[in-house]
Amino acid sequence: MKFSVIIPLYNKAPYVRKALESVCAQTYRDYELIVINDGSTDNSAIVADEYLKATDSIDYKIINQPNAGVSAARNTGVAASTGDYVAFLDADDWWEPTYLDCMAQLIKDY
């Protein structure tokens, strides 16, 4: 099962790297990462792009759109996703390394 990890991004330059690091550290590897830059006015998108370019093993895309709010950014991410399941992560939050493994196991169990 493949997850589509969607991160809406708006002016979170100081935090987005930690969020991206937590996705890249997942023990479950069958996922794509979609970052929606929702019209950031700081360098959030640059921070995300530079970090992800340096990480060869991640299937990712960054989508830029004019600011429309977090719900619209999430909807843009869902529309661009190809996974079986969607997992949302805010740009100023992070996951433990086994988060997607636990979600996959719960989906299988229930």
Side-chain angles (χ1 to χ4, degrees):
M1 105 187 39
K2 181 178 181 179
F3 286 97
S4 293
V5 177
I6 298 172
I7 300 178
L9 177 59
Y10 180 74
N11 291 349
K12 298 293 184 195
Y15 311 104
V16 68
R17 183 180 176 97
K18 185 170 182 177
L20 295 171
E21 287 172 346
S22 79
V23 173
C24 293
Q26 292 300 297
T27 54
Y28 190 91
R29 302 305 298 170
D30 193 7
Y31 65 87
E32 65 178 346
L33 174 60
I34 303 170
V35 178
I36 310 301
N37 178 35
D38 190 37
S40 293
T41 58
D42 67 0
N43 66 337
S44 295
I46 295 168
V47 171
D49 188 49
E50 288 177 352
Y51 177 79
L52 292 170
K53 279 182 180 173
T55 308
D56 296 337
S57 62
I58 303 298
D59 177 19
Y60 77 92
K61 61 182 102 172
I62 297 176
I63 299 171
N64 294 295
Q65 69 178 30
N67 182 257
V70 68
S71 297
R74 287 183 178 132
N75 289 338
T76 298
V78 169
S81 69
T82 63
D84 303 305
Y85 294 93
V86 171
F88 294 110
L89 176 63
D90 289 336
D92 60 354
D93 206 351
W94 62 91
W95 288 334
E96 292 297 318
T98 58
Y99 178 78
L100 289 178
D101 260 327
C102 291
M103 293 301 105
Q105 190 60 51
L106 287 168
I107 290 167
K108 289 177 188 172
D109 290 349
Y110 300 101

Coordinates of all heavy atoms in Angstrom, one line a residue, residues 36-79:
I36 N 2.7 21.4 -0.8 CA 2.0 22.5 -1.5 C 2.4 23.8 -0.9 O 2.1 24.1 0.3 CB 0.4 22.3 -1.3 CG1 0.0 20.9 -1.6 CG2 -0.3 23.4 -2.1 CD1 0.3 20.5 -3.0
N37 N 3.2 24.6 -1.6 CA 3.6 25.9 -1.2 C 2.4 26.8 -1.5 O 2.1 27.2 -2.6 CB 4.8 26.4 -2.0 CG 5.2 27.8 -1.6 OD1 5.0 28.2 -0.4 ND2 5.6 28.6 -2.5
D38 N 1.7 27.2 -0.4 CA 0.5 28.0 -0.5 C 0.7 29.5 -0.5 O 0.2 30.2 0.4 CB -0.5 27.6 0.6 CG -1.9 28.1 0.5 OD1 -2.4 28.2 -0.7 OD2 -2.5 28.5 1.5
G39 N 1.6 30.0 -1.4 CA 1.9 31.4 -1.5 C 2.7 32.0 -0.4 O 2.5 33.1 0.0
S40 N 3.6 31.2 0.1 CA 4.5 31.7 1.2 C 5.2 32.9 0.7 O 5.6 33.1 -0.4 CB 5.6 30.6 1.5 OG 5.0 29.5 2.1
T41 N 5.4 33.8 1.7 CA 6.1 35.1 1.5 C 7.5 35.1 2.1 O 8.2 36.1 2.0 CB 5.3 36.3 2.0 OG1 5.0 36.1 3.4 CG2 4.0 36.4 1.2
D42 N 7.8 34.0 2.8 CA 9.2 33.9 3.3 C 9.9 32.9 2.4 O 9.4 32.6 1.3 CB 9.2 33.4 4.8 CG 8.6 32.1 5.0 OD1 8.2 31.4 4.0 OD2 8.5 31.6 6.2
N43 N 11.0 32.3 2.8 CA 11.7 31.4 2.0 C 11.4 29.9 2.3 O 12.2 29.0 2.0 CB 13.2 31.6 2.1 CG 13.8 31.3 3.5 OD1 13.0 31.4 4.5 ND2 15.1 31.1 3.6
S44 N 10.2 29.6 2.7 CA 9.8 28.3 3.0 C 10.0 27.3 1.9 O 10.5 26.2 2.0 CB 8.3 28.2 3.5 OG 8.1 28.9 4.6
A45 N 9.5 27.7 0.7 CA 9.6 26.9 -0.5 C 11.0 26.6 -0.9 O 11.4 25.5 -1.3 CB 8.8 27.5 -1.6
I46 N 11.9 27.6 -0.7 CA 13.3 27.4 -1.0 C 13.9 26.4 0.0 O 14.7 25.5 -0.5 CB 14.1 28.8 -1.0 CG1 13.5 29.7 -2.1 CG2 15.6 28.6 -1.1 CD1 14.0 31.1 -2.0
V47 N 13.6 26.5 1.2 CA 14.2 25.6 2.2 C 13.7 24.2 1.9 O 14.5 23.2 1.9 CB 13.7 26.0 3.7 CG1 14.0 24.9 4.7 CG2 14.3 27.3 4.1
A48 N 12.4 24.0 1.6 CA 11.9 22.7 1.3 C 12.6 22.1 0.0 O 13.0 21.0 0.0 CB 10.4 22.7 1.1
D49 N 12.7 22.9 -1.0 CA 13.2 22.5 -2.3 C 14.7 22.1 -2.1 O 15.1 21.1 -2.6 CB 13.1 23.6 -3.3 CG 13.5 23.1 -4.7 OD1 13.0 22.0 -5.1 OD2 14.3 23.8 -5.4
E50 N 15.5 22.9 -1.4 CA 16.9 22.6 -1.3 C 17.1 21.3 -0.5 O 18.0 20.5 -0.8 CB 17.6 23.8 -0.6 CG 17.8 25.0 -1.5 CD 18.5 26.2 -0.8 OE1 18.6 26.1 0.4 OE2 18.8 27.1 -1.5
Y51 N 16.3 21.1 0.6 CA 16.4 19.9 1.4 C 16.1 18.7 0.5 O 16.8 17.7 0.5 CB 15.5 20.0 2.6 CG 15.6 18.7 3.4 CD1 16.7 18.4 4.2 CD2 14.6 17.7 3.3 CE1 16.8 17.2 4.9 CE2 14.7 16.5 4.0 CZ 15.8 16.3 4.8 OH 15.9 15.1 5.5
L52 N 15.0 18.8 -0.2 CA 14.5 17.6 -0.9 C 15.4 17.3 -2.1 O 15.6 16.1 -2.5 CB 13.0 17.8 -1.4 CG 12.0 17.8 -0.2 CD1 10.7 18.2 -0.7 CD2 12.0 16.4 0.4
K53 N 16.0 18.3 -2.7 CA 16.9 18.0 -3.8 C 18.1 17.3 -3.4 O 18.7 16.5 -4.1 CB 17.3 19.4 -4.5 CG 16.3 19.9 -5.5 CD 16.9 21.2 -6.1 CE 15.8 21.7 -7.1 NZ 16.2 23.0 -7.6
A54 N 18.5 17.5 -2.1 CA 19.7 16.8 -1.6 C 19.4 15.4 -1.1 O 20.3 14.7 -0.7 CB 20.2 17.7 -0.4
T55 N 18.1 15.0 -1.1 CA 17.7 13.7 -0.7 C 17.2 12.9 -1.9 O 16.1 13.1 -2.3 CB 16.5 13.9 0.3 OG1 16.9 14.8 1.4 CG2 16.1 12.6 0.9
D56 N 18.1 12.1 -2.4 CA 17.8 11.4 -3.6 C 16.8 10.3 -3.6 O 16.1 10.0 -4.6 CB 19.1 10.7 -4.1 CG 20.2 11.7 -4.5 OD1 19.9 12.9 -4.8 OD2 21.4 11.4 -4.5
S57 N 16.6 9.7 -2.4 CA 15.7 8.5 -2.3 C 14.2 8.8 -2.1 O 13.5 7.9 -2.0 CB 16.2 7.7 -1.2 OG 16.1 8.4 0.0
I58 N 13.8 10.1 -2.2 CA 12.4 10.4 -1.9 C 11.7 10.8 -3.2 O 12.2 11.6 -4.0 CB 12.3 11.6 -1.0 CG1 13.1 11.3 0.3 CG2 10.9 12.0 -0.7 CD1 12.5 10.2 1.1
D59 N 10.5 10.2 -3.4 CA 9.6 10.5 -4.5 C 8.8 11.7 -4.1 O 8.0 11.6 -3.2 CB 8.7 9.3 -4.9 CG 7.7 9.7 -6.0 OD1 7.9 10.6 -6.7 OD2 6.7 8.9 -6.0
Y60 N 9.1 12.9 -4.6 CA 8.4 14.1 -4.1 C 8.1 15.1 -5.3 O 8.7 15.0 -6.4 CB 9.3 14.8 -3.1 CG 10.4 15.6 -3.7 CD1 10.3 17.0 -4.0 CD2 11.7 15.1 -4.0 CE1 11.3 17.7 -4.6 CE2 12.7 15.8 -4.5 CZ 12.5 17.1 -4.8 OH 13.5 17.8 -5.4
K61 N 7.2 16.0 -5.0 CA 6.9 17.1 -5.8 C 6.5 18.3 -5.0 O 5.9 18.1 -3.9 CB 5.9 16.8 -6.9 CG 4.5 16.4 -6.4 CD 3.5 16.1 -7.5 CE 3.4 14.6 -7.6 NZ 2.4 14.1 -8.5
I62 N 6.9 19.5 -5.4 CA 6.5 20.7 -4.8 C 5.6 21.4 -5.8 O 5.9 21.6 -6.9 CB 7.7 21.6 -4.4 CG1 8.6 20.9 -3.4 CG2 7.2 22.9 -3.9 CD1 9.9 21.6 -3.0
I63 N 4.4 21.8 -5.3 CA 3.4 22.5 -6.1 C 3.2 23.9 -5.5 O 3.0 24.0 -4.3 CB 2.1 21.7 -6.1 CG1 2.2 20.3 -6.7 CG2 1.0 22.5 -6.9 CD1 1.0 19.4 -6.6
N64 N 3.4 24.9 -6.4 CA 3.2 26.2 -5.9 C 1.9 26.7 -6.4 O 1.4 26.5 -7.5 CB 4.3 27.1 -6.6 CG 5.7 26.8 -6.0 OD1 6.0 27.0 -4.9 ND2 6.5 26.3 -6.9
Q65 N 1.2 27.4 -5.5 CA -0.1 28.0 -5.8 C -0.2 29.3 -5.0 O 0.4 29.5 -4.0 CB -1.3 27.1 -5.4 CG -1.5 26.8 -3.9 CD -2.6 25.9 -3.6 OE1 -3.0 25.0 -4.4 NE2 -3.3 26.1 -2.5
P66 N -1.1 30.2 -5.5 CA -1.4 31.5 -4.8 C -2.0 31.1 -3.4 O -2.7 30.1 -3.3 CB -2.3 32.2 -5.6 CG -2.2 31.6 -7.0 CD -1.8 30.2 -6.8
N67 N -1.8 31.9 -2.4 CA -2.4 31.7 -1.1 C -3.9 31.5 -1.2 O -4.6 32.4 -1.7 CB -2.0 32.8 -0.1 CG -2.5 32.5 1.3 OD1 -3.5 33.0 1.7 ND2 -1.9 31.6 1.9
A68 N -4.3 30.3 -0.7 CA -5.8 30.0 -0.7 C -6.2 29.4 0.6 O -7.4 29.0 0.8 CB -6.1 29.1 -1.9
G69 N -5.3 29.2 1.5 CA -5.6 28.6 2.8 C -5.2 27.1 2.9 O -5.1 26.5 1.9
V70 N -5.2 26.7 4.1 CA -4.7 25.3 4.3 C -5.6 24.2 3.7 O -5.2 23.2 3.2 CB -4.4 25.0 5.9 CG1 -5.8 25.0 6.6 CG2 -3.7 23.8 6.1
S71 N -6.9 24.4 3.8 CA -7.8 23.5 3.2 C -7.7 23.3 1.7 O -7.7 22.2 1.2 CB -9.3 23.8 3.6 OG -9.5 23.8 4.9
A72 N -7.5 24.5 1.0 CA -7.3 24.5 -0.4 C -6.0 23.8 -0.7 O -5.9 23.1 -1.7 CB -7.4 25.9 -1.0
A73 N -5.0 24.1 0.1 CA -3.7 23.4 -0.2 C -3.8 21.9 0.0 O -3.2 21.2 -0.8 CB -2.6 24.0 0.8
R74 N -4.5 21.5 1.0 CA -4.6 20.0 1.2 C -5.4 19.4 0.0 O -5.1 18.4 -0.5 CB -5.4 19.7 2.5 CG -4.5 19.9 3.7 CD -5.2 19.6 5.0 NE -4.3 19.7 6.1 CZ -4.6 20.4 7.2 NH1 -5.9 20.9 7.4 NH2 -3.8 20.5 8.2
N75 N -6.4 20.1 -0.4 CA -7.2 19.6 -1.6 C -6.3 19.5 -2.9 O -6.5 18.6 -3.6 CB -8.4 20.5 -1.8 CG -9.5 20.3 -0.8 OD1 -9.5 19.3 -0.1 ND2 -10.3 21.3 -0.6
T76 N -5.5 20.5 -3.0 CA -4.5 20.5 -4.2 C -3.6 19.3 -4.1 O -3.4 18.6 -5.1 CB -3.7 21.8 -4.2 OG1 -4.6 22.9 -4.4 CG2 -2.7 21.7 -5.4
G77 N -3.2 19.0 -2.9 CA -2.3 17.8 -2.7 C -3.0 16.5 -2.9 O -2.5 15.6 -3.6
V78 N -4.3 16.4 -2.5 CA -5.1 15.2 -2.7 C -5.3 15.0 -4.2 O -5.1 13.9 -4.7 CB -6.4 15.2 -2.0 CG1 -7.3 14.1 -2.4 CG2 -6.2 15.2 -0.5
A79 N -5.6 16.1 -4.9 CA -5.8 16.0 -6.4 C -4.5 15.5 -7.1 O -4.6 14.8 -8.1 CB -6.3 17.3 -6.9

